[in-house]
Amino acid sequence: MAGLSASQLSFLRKRLTELKAVAVAALRRSQGELKGEDAELLADLHRTGDWAVAEAEFERDVAGAENARRAIGDILEAEKRFASGTYGECAACGTAIAFERLSAQPTASRCVPCQQTAEWRAPGR
Ligand SMILES: [Zn+2]
């Protein structure tokens, strides 16, 4: 897939899975529905990696349930691209998206120039 190595892909796949767990927990928490299993899942993530930091960043970004829902949608779309073998390819021009960009934003679906073009065409979105 798009010039990424197997280890880079498995790293990004894992990150997406963890982001989804955090996003789902954030959504439930925002709705006052955080269940025991979600709390345990988060505790596991904290034990196994640097997810305390990721979660803090995520919660700072997620102002409310709507944002959490959108984030989950983005993550599910990225997982679909994984399943179809197009993950890491720019949706607009087909170029391989740099690993550094995907590492910072695993749900990125466009390369930097195309993302900038899209934002220029649709300001504020
Ligand atoms: Zn592109």
Side-chain angles (χ1 to χ4, degrees), residues 29-124:
R29 190 180 303 161
S30 74
Q31 297 173 329
E33 292 173 8
L34 189 64
K35 297 191 182 94
E37 71 227 50
D38 298 315
E40 277 172 34
L41 184 61
L42 287 175
D44 279 346
L45 290 174
H46 292 169
R47 264 198 300 278
T48 55
D50 59 349
W51 287 94
V53 177
E55 192 194 358
E57 283 174 7
F58 188 85
E59 293 206 340
R60 197 187 54 216
D61 293 344
V62 173
E66 192 48 46
N67 284 346
R69 244 180 239 117
R70 197 175 304 144
I72 292 166
D74 287 347
I75 293 163
L76 294 178
E77 286 301 313
E79 289 186 332
K80 266 188 222 161
R81 294 196 295 279
F82 248 103
S84 66
T86 59
Y87 183 82
E89 287 171 22
C90 175
C93 73
T95 303
I97 303 170
F99 176 68
E100 288 69 26
R101 169 161 166 75
L102 291 168
S103 184
Q105 193 188 342
T107 58
S109 62
R110 295 189 187 97
C111 67
V112 172
C114 289
Q115 185 62 38
Q116 284 169 347
T117 304
E119 284 169 7
W120 177 73
R121 281 187 188 143

